Amino acid sequence: AKKKQRLLRKKQHCPKCRRQRRQHRRADGEGEYPGCKKVYLTFDDGPSPNTTRILDILDQYGVKATFFTICSPGEENEESLKRIVSSGNTLAIHSVSHEYSQVYASIDSFKEDVLDMQQWLYEQTGVTTWFYRFPGGSSNKVANCDISDCINFLNEQGFVYFDWNVSSGDASAKCVDKDTIVQNVLSEIGSREEYVVLMHDAGAKTTTVEALPEIIEYLQANDYMILPITANTKPVQHRHS
């Protein structure tokens, strides 16, 4: 972790939604494509050896997702970051190290972690991202600093943080059965307009990759839009300042 710190200083089916896609949208974070069912697939903890496989599957089905990344230097990982951007997916910040004791040691350490990660991603991709996900989520119970102070910092700096309202459960064990992941996701998808799905892009999460095609096929067959997070996306947040 100290070494990482040193490195820093298929078409959518709803005709109504297709029409709205062509219309001008305000970047106000107040929601997009009203009246359409939307799913935002999000992947935490990458890049990893699985990132390329995930991107291949997304390309195969013609959909985009959002990647909340950590600092993982190395040629393959840095190429994956570039591909996330070049293929139209959304690059976002998770943490430098994802070590709770470091990220949340104090409000100053939290600020440093966020800004260092933003800078590192810019150095790798040329993109400055303003999307963030708290390690453990904004409702985590592990922070030594006050999460309200962290939220205030993010808001003051112009970041938007996203939690989730659907969990794949792939973090409950080192390797969760593929069918369990599919069931965990699809059982939570219903008639609401917006779902943000939490999945993981860590190296051990091979069954998450295996579950992805079945999840996408179900969503497409049932007329859900599968979208990347943008400035137009209404945030799902567990906690507010």
Side-chain angles (χ1 to χ4, degrees):
K2 290 182 179 178
K3 181 179 180 182
K4 291 178 182 178
Q5 291 284 3
R6 288 196 299 269
L7 290 169
L8 304 175
R9 276 279 333 145
K10 213 171 192 225
K11 299 179 180 178
Q12 306 295 347
H13 294 278
C14 173
K16 178 180 178 182
C17 295
R18 288 199 297 268
R19 289 195 299 272
Q20 290 179 352
R21 183 186 291 276
R22 294 191 292 268
Q23 297 174 355
H24 175 70
R25 295 173 291 157
R26 294 180 299 132
D28 56 10
E30 290 302 316
E32 52 196 343
Y33 310 120
C36 296
K37 300 180 296 183
K38 302 172 287 290
V39 174
Y40 300 86
L41 301 175
T42 70
F43 297 89
D44 287 9
D45 301 349
S48 78
N50 288 323
T51 308
T52 296
R53 296 176 61 199
I54 293 170
L55 290 168
D56 287 344
I57 292 168
L58 296 174
D59 286 347
Q60 176 186 346
Y61 288 94
V63 299
K64 310 299 181 186
T66 301
F67 293 79
F68 290 93
T69 56
I70 64 174
C71 182
S72 301
E75 184 176 354
E76 182 178 350
N77 286 338
E78 291 164 10
E79 286 302 314
S80 291
L81 292 172
K82 292 180 176 69
R83 184 179 168 192
I84 287 170
V85 171
S86 65
S87 57
N89 296 281
T90 294
L91 182 66
I93 299 166
H94 198 26
S95 172
V96 172
S97 67
H98 206 296
E99 293 290 339
Y100 295 144
S101 61
Q102 296 179 27
V103 177
Y104 298 125
S106 67
I107 184 60
D108 287 338
S109 63
F110 175 81
K111 293 176 181 180
E112 182 179 9
D113 186 84
V114 173
L115 296 177
D116 281 356
M117 189 62 191
Q118 183 188 50
Q119 177 63 25
W120 186 73
L121 289 174
Y122 173 77
E123 291 170 1
Q124 308 314 311
T125 67
V127 170
T128 300
T129 181
W130 296 94
F131 302 120
Y132 180 79
R133 174 169 284 159
F134 284 93
S138 67
S139 58
N140 78 77
K141 305 299 182 183
V142 299
N144 290 325
C145 56
D146 189 333
I147 289 294
S148 293
D149 291 339
C150 299
I151 291 172
N152 289 336
F153 167 74
L154 294 174
N155 291 339
E156 289 166 2
Q157 294 295 312
F159 291 95
V160 182
Y161 66 96
F162 284 81
D163 288 307
W164 58 90
N165 53 16
V166 176
S167 175
S168 67
D170 63 353
S172 62
K174 183 176 181 179
C175 191
V176 178
D177 179 74
K178 183 264 289 186
D179 292 335
T180 299
I181 293 173
V182 172
Q183 178 62 23
N184 287 342
V185 173
L186 300 187
S187 65
E188 295 296 321
I189 300 291
S191 58
R192 286 189 299 184
E193 283 196 15
E194 181 180 279
Y195 296 91
V196 177
V197 181
L198 171 65
M199 295 179 282
H200 289 83
D201 177 22
K205 305 303 179 183
T206 55
T207 51
T208 301
V209 181
E210 294 167 7
L212 189 55
E214 190 171 342
I215 292 169
I216 292 174
E217 288 172 11
Y218 173 89
L219 295 173
Q220 290 186 326
N222 287 276
D223 294 335
Y224 290 89
M225 298 187 76
I226 302 175
L227 300 168
I229 287 172
T230 71
N232 301 287
T233 307
K234 185 177 181 179
V236 169
Q237 297 172 338
H238 296 163
R239 178 173 172 176
H240 305 274
S241 60

